[in-house]
Amino acid sequence: MKQVVWLLEDSLGPIDPALRALPEAPAVYIYDEDDLRAHPTSFKRLFFIYESLVETFAGRSAPCEIRRGNLVREMIDFCRKYGAEEIHVTRSPSPAYRLWTEQLRHTLVVVEYAPETLVKWSGRPPRRFLELWEQAYPQLLPEEKPGAGEDEES
Amino acid sequence: MIIPHEPKEREALRQHAAEALKGLYQGEAVASPWVGGRQAGLRRLEALDIDRYNREHNGAHQEATSGLSPYIRHGLITLREARDSVVSRFGAAASRNFVIQLLWRVYWYLRARQRGVASLVDAAAGATEIPVPQVASSPLCIDEALRCLRATGFLAYHPRLWVASYFLHWLGIPWRQGYRLFQEHLIDADPIVNALSWRWVLGEETGRPYFFTRAQVERCTGGQLCARCTIYRCPFEGTPEAVEERARQPRRLFR
């Protein structure tokens, strides 16, 4: 079964797990017009994405495309163009992603890759930052002691 | 519709994208000082001076921070790479502040897995009817942050909190509107981090709303903004408790 790679805003670099897994597969990024019209976005972010894609795609020998339009329709058209039935994508936590993949799965197979994580965490989500910090610091700063303040934020 | 992507020098790329993406963005087609791509992210990471970062990362100017968030948010460099690079070069103790900031991102993503929290993010991200707030003249610390946000697409950590605190607690703007303003302009805008950070300032995450004081602004800006601010009476004067008390009064803006 032929495959393509679908890039999303969360993972635009050549280190994207799906891109790395399939170096020979055509890859695409799509600016979704419906989403962008519904949510005002400055040129700065769209251009940051574009600049990033230009660099990522320049380093790839397989065909790569940037498109704009209805995401699902453009994605299906891209797959048809390359005779692909399988979309490989790094899972995104964004709410729009769930809707897009649901629709794409009506006609195509979507294979998801896990994004890289910094800290292993299982069970219920932490209630406070300190709870995460206490579990994470031995993995992240092995010589350090806990005691992170809660007054800081990313 | 296919958009060509041949590499060109930056200004030519900007012109090309301005035309190709017409109708999809708001405002002028101005590029951010933050250059897109993994290479630019790696250059920033390699140039990070941890002593300066530890001294200045609470500062309000853009270069006080690592400036890595747009690259991390867009998967151009990973949290793991950033952590490994800094810890291997500077050791665990010197890297502590930096790693804590990386971990906040993990925290918001884990929080978003919780039932009620995920639906809040979904609702904020999906809402289309909520207008982006238009704010008239404000104290200079707020005006300057908003100017910087619109001009560059980036804000250091504290000015983000000041804007959010001012909007929520002083102007009474609903958090989803503030969320939309940041979502529109920040190049590192991320629905989860953005929504939950606004909720954090609101006090929904900790049970304690975030207020800031004039002393904090002076510390983060070297006193420069306050010295030039023309507001009649600074609403942020005094202790955090005094500021909170003032914000809760009916005529809370003393201009």
Side-chain angles (χ1 to χ4, degrees), chain B residues 132-193:
Chain B
V132 169
Q134 302 296 319
V135 178
S137 180
S138 306
L140 191 57
C141 49
I142 305 299
D143 277 351
E144 183 56 22
L146 291 173
R147 187 201 60 75
C148 182
L149 171 69
R150 294 196 171 99
T152 67
F154 190 83
L155 268 187
Y157 149 71
H158 275 97
R160 293 183 195 213
L161 295 182
W162 299 342
V163 169
S165 183
Y166 183 70
F167 275 25
L168 296 172
H169 305 315
W170 294 89
L171 302 184
I173 290 172
W175 73 270
R176 285 183 189 170
Q177 278 195 37
Y179 162 90
R180 293 207 56 169
L181 178 77
F182 278 12
Q183 208 60 29
E184 174 176 343
H185 290 285
L186 286 171
I187 46 171
D188 62 15
D190 174 309
I192 289 173
V193 177

Side-chain angles (χ1 to χ4, degrees), chain A residues 10-16 48 55 116, chain B residues 37-46 66-83 85 98 102 105:
Chain A
D10 309 272
S11 193
L12 300 170
I15 53 172
D16 172 71
F48 186 88
E55 183 186 282
E116 192 192 271
Chain B
R38 175 168 164 80
Q39 292 311 318
L42 288 175
R43 280 197 296 276
R44 265 191 189 266
L45 180 58
E46 281 154 18
S66 70
L68 290 171
S69 61
Y71 303 97
I72 290 172
R73 188 269 173 267
H74 293 292
L76 296 160
I77 55 178
T78 66
L79 289 172
R80 168 64 57 189
E81 277 182 305
R83 179 265 169 209
S85 161
F98 179 77
L102 296 180
R105 190 176 179 80

Side-chain angles (χ1 to χ4, degrees), chain B residues 226-249:
Chain B
C226 298
R228 288 192 289 123
C229 184
T230 55
I231 200 149
Y232 179 65
R233 191 183 297 170
C234 175
F236 315 124
E237 196 79 62
T239 62
E241 294 74 24
V243 173
E244 180 167 358
E245 178 61 31
R246 200 175 300 133
R248 294 191 192 289
Q249 290 167 11

Side-chain angles (χ1 to χ4, degrees), chain B residues 48-64:
Chain B
L48 183 75
D49 172 348
I50 202 71
D51 292 332
R52 185 178 166 204
Y53 178 84
N54 285 333
R55 259 194 333 267
E56 297 182 10
H57 77 281
N58 283 330
H61 59 287
Q62 298 197 325
E63 293 306 320

